[in-house]
Amino acid sequence: MEKKIEPINIALNSSVSQQILENRLKLAPIIETIIFCGRQGLALRGHRDFGNFQLEDPDENDGNFRALLRYKAMGGDETLKHHLENSSKNARYLSPTIQNEVINVCNKLIVQKIVAKITSVKLFSVLADETSDIAGMEQFSLCVRYYDNDIKKIREDFLQFVGVTDLTGKGLANVLMDTLANLHIDGNFMIGQGYDGAAAMSGRLHGAQQYVAEKFDLAIYVHCASHSLNLALSDACELPAVRNCMGILNSTYNFFNTPKRQSLLANSIEKLTPKASASRLKRLCATRWIERHESVNVFIQLQKATVDALEIMSSWHDTTTSSTAVQLLGAIRSLEFQVSLRVISKIFAEYSKQKTLIYLRL
C-alpha cells in the first residue's frame, strides 16, 4: 500500500523488457556482420565454420563471418565480446542455420519494400531469364522495372531466384505468374515483359511471353535490347580476317587449357610480363561481348609470354603438341592477325561504352 515495493506485474514486465533489450544488443553486431558480407559479396563460411567459437585466431580458416565477429569483439565491442565469451554454446546465434534465417529475413524485408513501391505506382514490367547455377540447378531470375516516386526515375530491381524444372514456355510462364502472385504483385498492371530471343521465352505460339500475354493482355513483349545488340554484332561480323583472328584466340586458349602447358605459360608470364594484371588466358565468350573484350585485352597483355611458351613447346618431343604450337606461332605472328587483333580490341571497347549508355538510358 505504501508503494515501497513494485507490484509483481510491473517488475516482471521491466525484467522482460530489459531482457529483450539485451538480446537485441547481442544480435545487432551479428546481423550487421551478415549484412556487411552480403553487401560486399563475401562468402560467410570458410573451410571450418562449425564448433566452439574462440576469440583467439583459429588454426584453420573459419570464414569471413566468424573472422569479422572476432575482429569486432577484439576491437572494442564489449557487448559482443561478453556475449561470445559467456553465452552457452547453443545460444550464440552463429550457426549456418541462424545465418540463413537472417538472410531470409533480409530478403523478405527488401522484397516487401520493392513490392510496396510497385503497388504505389501500379504499372510495371518484368524482366526474366533462366540459367543453371554452379550446382547444375535451373534458376529463373525475375526482375521488375517500374517508376520510383521517391527518386523520380525508372528503376530495375531484382526480385527473386526461383528454381524451375519445367523449361517449356508454358512452364516458365507459370513460374513467372505464380511468383508474382506469391509476392502479392497484381499481374493485371503488368504492361511489359522483356526476355532474350530463346524460343521458350519469345516463341509466338508456345513461348512464355505468349502465355503471359493471354492472361495479361497489356503485357507487351520486347526483345532485350542488349541481347539484340549482341546478336546484331555477331551477325555483322562477316570479315574473314576478324573471324580467323577470333578463331585463333579461341584455339590458343584451348591449347593452353591443360595443367602442364598452363604451368609453362605461367613461368613465361612471370619471366616476361610480371606486371600483367592477368595470370592466364581468358576464354573467348560466345555470347557476352564485354567478356570478349576482356579476353582480347588479356591476350594482348600476355602475347609476349604466350609466344615464348609456344616457342618452347614447338621443340617438345610430343608430336601433337609441337606441331600445334608451330601452327599457332605462325598464325599469331602473321600481320593479318596482329592488325585484326587491334581492330577488334578498339571495336569491343566502343561496344562496351555503348552498352553502358544503353543501361543508363534504360
Side-chain angles (χ1 to χ4, degrees):
M1 290 175 63
E2 294 177 357
K3 297 183 180 180
K4 292 181 178 180
I5 300 176
E6 287 186 343
I8 187 65
N9 60 333
I10 297 177
L12 287 174
N13 287 338
S14 299
S15 177
V16 171
S17 299
Q18 182 64 26
Q19 186 63 49
I20 291 173
L21 180 60
E22 291 178 0
N23 289 338
R24 287 177 177 174
L25 291 175
K26 293 176 182 178
L27 281 174
I30 296 174
I31 296 173
E32 289 170 358
T33 303
I34 294 174
I35 293 175
F36 175 81
C37 290
R39 286 183 182 275
Q40 300 302 119
L42 301 175
L44 273 75
R45 298 162 199 169
H47 177 66
R48 186 179 184 277
D49 61 340
F50 55 88
N52 191 28
F53 182 89
Q54 300 291 340
L55 290 177
E56 296 79 14
D57 290 334
D59 296 331
E60 295 179 301
N61 178 20
D62 58 354
N64 295 317
F65 173 65
R66 289 193 169 203
L68 285 169
L69 286 178
R70 189 177 294 110
Y71 175 78
K72 293 180 72 172
M74 300 304 293
D77 192 330
E78 294 299 328
T79 302
L80 176 61
K81 184 177 181 180
H82 182 270
H83 169 65
L84 296 175
E85 287 181 332
N86 300 294
S87 297
S88 58
K89 293 180 180 179
N90 62 347
R92 288 180 176 171
Y93 307 106
L94 305 181
S95 69
T97 302
I98 297 297
Q99 295 172 28
N100 290 338
E101 288 183 7
V102 173
I103 292 171
N104 288 332
V105 170
C106 292
N107 170 66
K108 290 180 181 178
L109 293 175
I110 293 171
V111 171
Q112 285 175 3
K113 288 184 178 181
I114 296 174
V115 171
K117 289 184 177 182
I118 296 171
T119 304
S120 66
V121 297
K122 300 293 186 182
L123 304 179
F124 69 96
S125 298
V126 295
L127 305 168
D129 196 9
E130 174 273 326
T131 188
S132 57
D133 59 20
I134 193 171
M137 301 292 292
E138 297 294 333
Q139 300 284 348
F140 194 67
S141 60
L142 181 61
C143 302
V144 285
R145 180 179 167 88
Y146 62 95
Y147 182 78
D148 191 330
N149 274 324
D150 296 334
I151 62 175
K152 308 302 180 185
K153 290 183 180 180
I154 293 177
R155 285 181 59 96
E156 288 183 8
D157 285 322
F158 170 75
L159 278 178
Q160 289 287 337
F161 279 120
V162 186
V164 293
T165 54
D166 186 354
L167 301 181
T168 63
K170 187 174 184 179
L172 294 173
N174 288 335
V175 169
L176 188 152
M177 292 185 288
D178 291 344
T179 302
L180 292 178
N182 293 335
L183 296 175
H184 305 291
I185 299 176
D186 190 350
N188 291 306
F189 294 102
M190 188 196 312
I191 59 172
Q193 42 179 332
Y195 320 119
D196 61 17
M201 300 299 297
S202 65
R204 184 171 56 87
L205 298 177
H206 299 291
Q209 65 90 10
Q210 181 61 30
Y211 289 105
V212 173
E214 288 176 358
K215 187 171 182 179
F216 307 117
D217 54 359
L218 295 177
I220 300 173
Y221 165 66
V222 178
H223 192 164
C224 170
S226 296
H227 188 262
S228 296
L229 183 57
N230 278 344
L231 295 177
L233 286 174
S234 297
D235 292 340
C237 182
E238 297 180 353
L239 292 175
V242 174
R243 289 204 309 269
N244 293 340
C245 177
M246 292 164 64
I248 293 168
L249 291 174
N250 196 47
S251 298
T252 305
Y253 169 82
N254 292 332
F255 179 71
F256 278 101
N257 196 25
T258 65
K260 185 177 180 180
R261 297 169 186 170
Q262 182 57 43
S263 176
L264 178 61
L265 178 60
N267 292 335
S268 296
I269 293 173
E270 185 177 355
K271 179 177 64 176
L272 298 175
T273 56
K275 295 183 179 180
S277 59
S279 59
R280 59 184 302 166
L281 297 175
K282 188 178 178 70
R283 184 174 67 90
L284 201 67
C285 183
T287 57
R288 295 179 177 86
W289 281 64
I290 287 181
E291 291 192 14
R292 288 195 183 193
H293 182 215
E294 293 176 0
S295 64
V296 170
N297 286 343
V298 167
F299 184 87
I300 291 174
Q301 286 184 47
L302 305 181
Q303 184 171 192
K304 186 181 293 185
T306 302
V307 170
D308 180 69
L310 289 172
E311 288 177 343
I312 294 173
M313 283 187 283
S314 65
S315 61
W316 283 6
H317 295 296
D318 182 354
T319 305
T320 302
T321 300
S322 60
S323 59
T324 305
V326 170
Q327 292 172 9
L328 289 174
L329 273 173
I332 291 173
R333 285 170 170 166
S334 68
L335 179 61
E336 181 181 273
F337 173 82
Q338 293 297 328
V339 172
S340 300
L341 184 66
R342 267 66 183 184
V343 170
I344 290 172
S345 178
K346 293 291 185 182
I347 292 175
F348 284 177
E350 290 300 320
Y351 167 72
S352 299
K353 294 178 183 177
Q354 292 300 321
K355 189 166 185 178
T356 302
L357 289 175
I358 287 175
Y359 279 129
L360 291 175
R361 289 169 183 168
L362 290 176

